[in-house]
Amino acid sequence: QVQLVESGGGLVQAGGSLRLSCAASGRSFSRYTMGWFRQPPGKEREFVVSVNWSGNPYYADSVKGRFTISRDNAKNTVYLQMNSLKPEDTAVYYCAADPGYGLGYPPQYWGQGTQVTVSS
């Protein structure tokens, strides 16, 4: 069993930055693919980014060049650095985890979500 706890959300002006963290409990964190989804208000949940256990990232086109995912296996934590934020990035951001080399939908594990609001 894996538990995911997000932190770092908040309110930021357009053009600003935020860093989200996701702390994972449980064993074998380094063998999980980790990632982030988001759910904008009134819309369906969508993929944002993932990083497999080899450290290879995969980004949605909407965030390429602005968001960076990283993981610290010693701390069982994955980070999402979000720069040049836009109002359309406003959403609840969910950390996700799947064993193995990819991130499925739905993933095996979800965090509780953290709100990110970008004001114009």
Side-chain angles (χ1 to χ4, degrees), residues 10 19-20 37 43 48-49 57 77 83 93 104 118:
R19 189 176 83 153
L20 305 183
F37 289 79
K43 297 184 179 181
V48 178
V49 61
T77 301
N83 298 328
Y93 283 71
V118 184

Side-chain angles (χ1 to χ4, degrees), residues 29-48:
F29 170 82
S30 63
R31 305 303 287 182
Y32 278 72
T33 293
M34 304 296 297
W36 296 87
F37 289 79
R38 66 186 181 186
Q39 188 162 14
K43 297 184 179 181
E44 294 189 353
R45 199 169 297 191
E46 62 187 23
F47 171 80
V48 178

Side-chain angles (χ1 to χ4, degrees), residues 24-82:
S25 64
R27 298 179 297 177
S28 303
F29 170 82
S30 63
R31 305 303 287 182
Y32 278 72
T33 293
M34 304 296 297
W36 296 87
F37 289 79
R38 66 186 181 186
Q39 188 162 14
K43 297 184 179 181
E44 294 189 353
R45 199 169 297 191
E46 62 187 23
F47 171 80
V48 178
V49 61
S50 66
V51 59
N52 61 27
W53 52 263
S54 296
N56 297 315
Y58 181 74
Y59 294 93
D61 287 344
S62 59
V63 305
K64 279 182 182 176
R66 300 188 298 121
F67 290 13
T68 303
I69 191 169
S70 61
R71 64 188 297 163
D72 185 337
N73 290 335
K75 295 183 178 180
N76 281 13
T77 301
V78 64
Y79 304 97
L80 182 62
Q81 178 67 43
M82 305 185 294

